[in-house]
Amino acid sequence: MDTTAKHNTGRNELPADRVLATLNEDGSRHWINPRCSPGRFLAARRWTAYALIAIFGVLPWIQINGKPAILLDIAARRFTFFGVTFFPTDTLPLALLILAIFLTVFLVTAIAGRVWCGWACPQTVYMEFLYRPIERLIDGAPGSRRSQTRSGPRTVLKYILFLLCSCYLAHTFLAYFVGVDQLWHWIGSSPAAHPTAFIVMAATTALMMFDFAFFREQTCLVACPYGRLQSVMLDKHSMIVTYDRARGEPRGKKQLQHSDVALRVLPGAAADAPARSTSGDCIDCRMCVTTCPTGIDIRDGLQMECIGCAQCIDACDTVMDKLHRPRGLVRYSSRAVMEGQAKHLIRPRTVLYPIIIAGLVAALAFVISSRSTGEAAVLPRQGAPFYTLPTGEVANQVRLRLVNRTDEPSTFTITLSDDAASSGQRLIADTTSIDIPAGQTINHGLILAAPASLFSSRGRFDTTVTITDSRGFSTSLPFRMLGPAHREPTKEQTP
Ligand code: SF4
Ligand code: SF4
């Protein structure tokens, strides 16, 4: 089946009145098939991408303090980051960590714009430096005759390679959630032995295929919230990819008539192509447009679709080099600089964000370093507040909530103080020694019993329950027992 009708020619040619770069007039998808524009930024991004791909693949294998560098064990509700394990009860450190990450994103965006999107986001990294190169290798350069036919053995080969990449990525992704040992065990055994894991892996592979083979830039344009939030994170001093309108305009090919510079940058131009002379440096060659992975024209100003990948900079620099003009008609700059204002790195948000981030990181370090190995709470159980035992003692049913916050099993022991025991208080429970697996929380029921004479005239008695564990955790928890109001014997009752 020839699907060329739905695909563009690799030129990203769009009518001037087009609203969305990725939509045809009839509402169908306008396929973006960007040209590769070699240059200094592409080279730097390529090495950055290779490093990130390597890190992503290696990280699950690295152990720190005997734990995986990153393990997001959802089943056990345990998250390990570089030797530190967080449990569901660690709401404060988790909140601090998430807040610090968010504010760091805000800070980076305020300073460097969408540098994350263009240089480090997995969507861009894998799309532009793994899937797209495979596609160009098999289909040929965008606009070439080979790229116009999207059927036959070459297309099958391309999708097989995409599938292999997706499968590898899905497995690596899964390693972050189950660990490499478990993953290898699953890989080495039949899918029937672990159907759920197999379905998750197959679904993740399918999702990767859908994303990188079909959805592509749509993920950035319609699925990712970051692009939509950028307007509140950027200010006019933030670094963005910009077109120097003052230098570039008026643009146009019609001025390619009077010059001493041979022009070989326009598509299909001959070596002795006409030369140019214009007051604006932009020759409207659209090289910056045809290389854009989201199909936009940077000359229209900052747009939500711009992921800051700098491909248009490399494309335009190449054109400027051929014209013997200075580079930088499209460049990293800021709106303020483009409007002739001074560059301001120090601004309220670039000062405030680092201060808050430093405070959050310090608080996080303090909370982590002062974390205890366990946690305990004693709570009254539902139902009757107290009852009287045949011995005459007053009994309260309580619930102990015990948390083992370590990576090893631990034994928790519940006791009353010596004073409590000598005053006749006692614990009634099947066991006062409880084994708790690593990172788990257990609710344990028991009965506190005390002589009725200990209760005040308001029917209360304050006692203390001591809980220790085999890993050094120790705490004394106050508990107010309820019972019958105690009355002092009257004179007549006194023997
Ligand atoms: S690549 Fe440069 S010269 Fe060509 S259209 Fe874009 S801005 Fe103008
Ligand atoms: S406009 Fe330039 S920087 Fe923005 S996405 Fe397109 S090519 Fe990348």
Side-chain angles (χ1 to χ4, degrees):
M1 185 184 70
D2 189 350
T3 56
T4 51
K6 291 254 173 183
H7 292 77
N8 76 346
T9 59
R11 297 284 175 211
N12 293 354
E13 303 289 2
L14 295 171
D17 57 352
R18 172 81 54 122
V19 178
L20 282 177
T22 54
L23 210 60
N24 288 317
E25 281 167 7
D26 61 0
S28 60
R29 167 95 171 264
H30 177 80
W31 283 82
I32 306 291
N33 193 12
R35 245 180 350 89
C36 179
S37 294
R40 59 198 163 129
F41 289 111
L42 181 68
R45 284 174 68 226
R46 184 174 283 139
W47 284 112
T48 307
Y50 290 162
L52 290 171
I53 289 171
I55 290 170
F56 180 66
V58 163
L59 220 45
W61 297 86
I62 294 176
Q63 300 263 317
I64 297 172
N65 298 337
K67 305 173 193 173
I70 295 182
L71 181 63
L72 310 171
D73 191 343
I74 291 173
R77 295 187 296 163
R78 219 185 317 177
F79 307 118
T80 302
F81 294 103
F82 301 101
V84 181
T85 301
F86 295 94
F87 299 103
T89 47
D90 289 323
T91 39
L92 180 60
L94 273 173
L96 290 171
L97 180 67
I98 292 167
L99 217 56
I101 291 172
F102 268 103
L103 280 179
T104 305
V105 171
F106 276 40
L107 174 65
V108 170
T109 309
I111 295 172
R114 290 182 73 176
V115 70
W116 161 261
C117 301
W119 290 70
C121 174
Q123 175 70 24
T124 306
V125 165
Y126 288 106
M127 186 68 241
E128 301 303 327
F129 298 100
L130 184 60
Y131 287 81
R132 196 94 76 191
I134 290 173
E135 186 164 76
R136 285 176 183 148
L137 189 70
I138 293 174
D139 285 348
S144 68
R145 181 176 295 187
R146 191 148 56 106
S147 72
Q148 299 304 302
T149 311
R150 289 167 186 263
S151 58
R154 274 194 296 108
T155 303
V156 174
L157 174 64
K158 180 174 81 174
Y159 284 110
I160 288 174
L161 291 176
F162 279 0
L163 187 62
L164 289 175
C165 291
S166 301
C167 202
Y168 164 74
L169 285 182
H171 278 84
T172 308
F173 184 64
L174 220 56
Y176 282 85
F177 294 89
V178 297
V180 281
D181 294 340
Q182 182 68 64
L183 189 69
W184 272 117
H185 172 70
W186 284 342
I187 290 173
S189 54
S190 159
H194 47 81
T196 309
F198 182 75
I199 289 169
V200 170
M201 197 282 296
T204 313
T205 303
L207 200 67
M208 301 274 178
M209 268 302 274
F210 171 77
D211 183 29
F212 291 114
F214 174 76
F215 208 49
R216 300 191 159 191
E217 76 288 340
Q218 298 295 313
T219 302
C220 309
L221 304 187
V222 300
C224 178
Y226 181 52
R228 291 169 191 280
L229 285 176
Q230 68 165 331
S231 54
V232 291
M233 293 192 247
L234 293 176
D235 60 29
K236 65 179 187 173
H237 295 284
S238 303
M239 188 179 73
I240 50 173
V241 176
T242 55
Y243 165 66
D244 190 340
R245 185 169 296 278
R247 181 183 149 191
E249 303 296 323
R251 70 180 83 159
K253 294 172 193 147
K254 59 181 183 296
Q255 292 148 345
L256 301 174
Q257 291 164 13
H258 317 287
S259 172
D260 54 354
V261 181
L263 184 73
R264 292 186 284 275
V265 292
L266 289 173
D272 58 350
R276 71 188 293 271
S277 173
T278 175
S279 53
D281 273 354
C282 176
I283 56 166
D284 204 16
C285 61
R286 294 181 64 80
M287 290 298 182
C288 52
V289 182
T290 58
T291 198
C292 177
T294 59
I296 59 169
D297 188 340
I298 191 63
R299 296 171 300 172
D300 294 340
L302 179 65
Q303 293 149 76
M304 187 206 76
E305 293 92 337
C306 177
I307 57 169
C309 68
Q311 270 289 269
C312 50
I313 300 181
D314 279 335
C316 192
D317 280 352
T318 305
V319 175
M320 292 299 117
D321 286 350
K322 288 182 179 176
L323 294 172
H324 303 294
R325 301 254 165 155
R327 291 179 167 190
L329 177 56
V330 179
R331 63 178 183 270
Y332 276 119
S333 187
S334 68
R335 261 193 310 130
V337 170
M338 283 297 175
E339 288 166 9
Q341 299 172 24
K343 201 173 180 174
H344 282 300
L345 185 60
I346 309 296
R347 327 191 281 278
R349 64 177 74 190
T350 61
V351 173
L352 271 179
Y353 286 155
I355 292 173
I356 300 172
I357 292 167
L360 289 170
V361 171
L364 180 64
F366 174 76
V367 170
I368 289 175
S369 62
S370 58
R371 269 194 319 179
S372 64
T373 57
E375 190 181 305
V378 54
L379 307 158
R381 287 183 82 171
Q382 286 184 337
F386 67 89
Y387 56 93
T388 307
L389 297 172
T391 56
E393 297 163 292
V394 176
N396 278 204
Q397 295 194 80
V398 300
R399 177 169 66 90
L400 284 174
R401 188 170 164 277
L402 306 171
V403 185
N404 175 5
R405 299 172 90 171
T406 68
D407 297 326
E408 304 289 335
S410 187
T411 302
F412 282 62
T413 306
I414 309 152
T415 52
L416 292 173
S417 66
D418 289 346
D419 285 353
S422 61
S423 67
Q425 299 170 52
R426 61 190 178 103
L427 293 172
I428 304 172
D430 294 340
T431 177
T432 53
S433 189
I434 303 141
D435 293 328
I436 304 182
Q440 297 292 304
T441 299
I442 278 183
N443 286 306
H444 183 73
L446 54 77
I447 294 167
L448 288 176
S453 59
L454 294 178
F455 287 80
S456 69
S457 58
R458 299 176 66 190
R460 293 172 184 173
F461 170 62
D462 291 333
T463 187
T464 303
V465 179
T466 301
I467 294 161
T468 54
D469 82 350
S470 52
R471 307 183 69 80
F473 169 71
S474 175
T475 185
S476 293
L477 301 168
F479 183 75
R480 173 160 289 177
M481 290 181 69
L482 299 178
H486 179 69
R487 290 188 181 84
E488 290 297 328
T490 59
K491 276 187 184 164
E492 294 75 34
Q493 291 169 322
T494 308

